[in-house]
Amino acid sequence: MSTHDVDVLVFGASSVTGRRVAAHLARRAADSPGASWAVAGRDADKLRRVLAEEGVTPPETLVADVGDPASLAAMASRARVVLNLVGPYTRHAEPVIEACVAAGSHYVDLTGELPFVRRMNAIHDAPARTAGVKVVQVCGFEALPPDLGVALAAEAAAASGDRLVDVDVEVRVTEQPRPPRLSDAISGGTFQSLAVAAGDPDAGHLTDPACLVDDPIAAQAVREQSPIRVRPRRRGEAIIAPMSPAAFINPAVIHRSAALRAGERGEPYAPFAYREGMAIPGRTVTLPLRAAVAGALSGTQAVFRAVTSVDRPGARQSVSRALERALPSSGYGPARDRLEPWRWQMTVRATTAAGHDVTVEIDADGHPGYLTTARLLGEAGLLLAEPGATPDRAGCLTPATALGTASAARFAHAGLRFSPLPGAGSAGSAGDEPAQ
């Protein structure tokens, strides 16, 4: 029997990111005494020991294992929202999603494994709708900030009867620890996730910007209007490199959000052109060096795209297994003392059908992938657990459609600030209405 006596439960809280999700919830619970949270994992003693190293004492520690359906059912029955940090998600997450839908609990994760997300949408969207449950994947740095930012821009256009036709998202790091380290950039968990996704039987969908759009006519229009390109480009003195850790994650989520919103209005989805990248600013004298860095990032992603497009599944899976062995494993990642000094910004520049410009600025504190992401996931969990705080939608949703643009201000608690907010200036109306 479901009790749902815990607002937010962190499954896999001993992971590199999971422990920081727990730390965020501990801090937020101290500020909001009504919010309850707990952690779960295979080894309760390890969980408590790891979290103690972060200065966190969880109110309750549950034992649950992805290989034990009864333990997952018991865990899900306790929580209003389960935040899943146990990856790679392709291998481990579906039983957790099934348990959450069966228990009537919302589910959130950080996966960027799009072939897996596509399958979960096909299998679990209808049952989740029936259960009134939100299944929200890709809910960290990929793809919550750009997804909400683009939704805010779309509302700005809609407020004057207009629509977006072109969207450009640009990220730039303004402060980071010195000297840079490889472990600062990408964790072992992310490396392993990308390797597993490359070997997925449906890996060809990984680089398809329309892989999460259900309507085949709209999906083809997305591919034609908004192809994913990984070549470096210039904007003024800045070199724009492909998005890190992969240029293939956000576009599919953002187009699904727009398609879902169009469906709610009873309209066919007319896709906008979408592109994104990481800006590498600098003086003219550094242009060759910056171009070389951007070229290396572009080449790496081009190779990854080539691997996913191999028609022989056996060969692709052999490459995937080799990458898993060669790349760092889960647990490898940025040192704790190098997470806070990061500052970064994201700009959403959009053009409407009537030729108007709409801009949404986002600025953030903390390492994008391993501190801001953790705080975003924790805050999303708190929002979903709070009655009436998010729109009255259910099913397999995106961050923007699950949380609604009215939630944008809440992410200041996670160190992520949107400007302008809904109802202020040119970037929106009142925002997605929360549930009543």
Side-chain angles (χ1 to χ4, degrees):
M1 181 179 296
S2 297
T3 59
H4 294 162
D5 58 328
V6 174
D7 288 326
V8 183
L9 189 144
V10 186
F11 181 43
S14 62
S15 66
V16 170
T17 306
R19 65 191 71 179
R20 276 128 204 170
V21 177
H24 179 73
L25 291 174
R27 180 178 63 80
R28 292 286 284 126
D31 297 337
S32 307
S36 61
W37 67 284
V39 300
R42 287 183 300 177
D43 186 332
D45 290 336
K46 177 183 177 181
L47 271 174
R48 286 189 281 262
R49 183 174 66 255
V50 167
L51 293 178
E53 294 171 358
E54 301 289 327
V56 175
T57 302
E60 187 174 1
T61 302
L62 307 180
V63 175
D65 190 325
V66 293
D68 181 353
S71 72
L72 296 179
M75 175 187 73
S77 73
R78 294 285 309 278
R80 290 184 175 88
V81 182
V82 172
L83 306 180
N84 184 14
L85 281 302
V86 180
Y89 292 96
T90 297
R91 291 179 178 160
H92 303 309
E94 187 170 10
V96 188
I97 295 173
E98 290 174 341
C100 287
V101 173
S105 305
H106 300 309
Y107 169 94
V108 193
D109 71 27
L110 295 174
T111 187
E113 300 157 39
L114 293 182
F116 171 70
V117 176
R118 178 184 169 91
R119 287 196 295 274
M120 295 304 95
N121 290 352
I123 295 168
H124 296 291
D125 182 60
R129 286 175 184 266
T130 300
V133 165
K134 297 182 182 185
V135 175
V136 192
Q137 300 190 268
V138 204
C139 194
F141 176 71
E142 303 91 11
L144 190 157
D147 199 23
L148 269 179
V150 172
L152 286 167
E155 286 184 356
S160 57
D162 208 348
R163 65 180 181 88
L164 304 183
V165 295
D166 187 86
V167 178
D168 194 334
V169 172
E170 184 178 299
V171 178
R172 55 203 171 277
V173 174
T174 57
E175 295 181 35
Q176 66 184 96
R178 300 289 181 181
R181 299 176 184 171
L182 179 59
S183 60
D184 287 343
I186 186 168
S187 76
T190 301
F191 276 124
Q192 293 298 314
S193 177
L194 291 172
V196 169
D200 192 284
D202 299 318
H205 292 302
L206 187 60
T207 57
D208 177 7
C211 75
L212 303 182
V213 175
D214 297 328
D215 177 63
I217 295 174
Q220 185 57 34
V222 169
R223 296 181 190 108
E224 294 171 358
Q225 179 76 7
S226 190
I228 298 173
R229 297 184 173 92
V230 297
R231 293 192 303 271
R233 52 192 169 88
R234 286 185 65 178
R235 190 181 63 79
E237 289 298 312
I239 298 289
I240 311 299
M243 188 67 78
S244 178
F248 313 112
I249 299 173
N250 293 333
V253 176
I254 286 160
H255 284 298
R256 178 171 176 80
S257 287
L260 290 173
R261 290 193 295 269
E264 287 183 352
R265 298 190 300 269
E267 302 172 358
Y269 176 40
F272 45 77
Y274 176 83
R275 66 178 182 178
E276 63 181 16
M278 303 281 294
I280 309 176
R283 295 174 297 174
T284 303
V285 69
T286 66
L287 185 60
L289 176 60
R290 291 184 287 123
V293 171
L297 293 171
S298 177
T300 300
Q301 299 212 27
V303 169
F304 182 72
R305 170 183 259 164
V307 169
T308 64
S309 65
V310 171
D311 289 334
R312 293 161 51 207
R316 192 176 61 246
Q317 289 166 7
S318 295
V319 172
S320 172
R321 288 191 293 269
L323 287 172
E324 287 184 66
R325 292 190 297 269
L327 293 171
S329 61
S330 297
Y332 171 87
R336 188 189 315 164
D337 62 354
R338 294 176 66 85
L339 294 175
E340 291 285 357
W342 291 72
R343 302 289 181 270
W344 55 276
Q345 298 173 330
M346 180 178 288
T347 301
V348 178
R349 298 183 180 91
T351 304
T352 72
H356 301 301
D357 295 329
V358 181
T359 300
V360 177
E361 294 285 357
I362 305 165
D363 72 278
D365 310 321
H367 189 291
Y370 306 106
L371 187 55
T372 309
T373 278
R375 292 170 175 169
L376 293 177
L377 189 71
E379 200 63 35
L382 292 171
L383 277 160
L384 291 170
E386 183 180 321
T390 60
D392 188 14
R393 296 178 176 124
C396 291
L397 303 171
T398 60
T401 55
L403 300 169
T405 53
S407 71
R410 281 280 294 269
F411 287 99
H413 293 294
L416 190 82
R417 295 166 291 275
F418 293 84
S419 177
L421 289 168
S426 63
S429 57
D432 262 329
E433 290 296 327
Q436 301 298 318

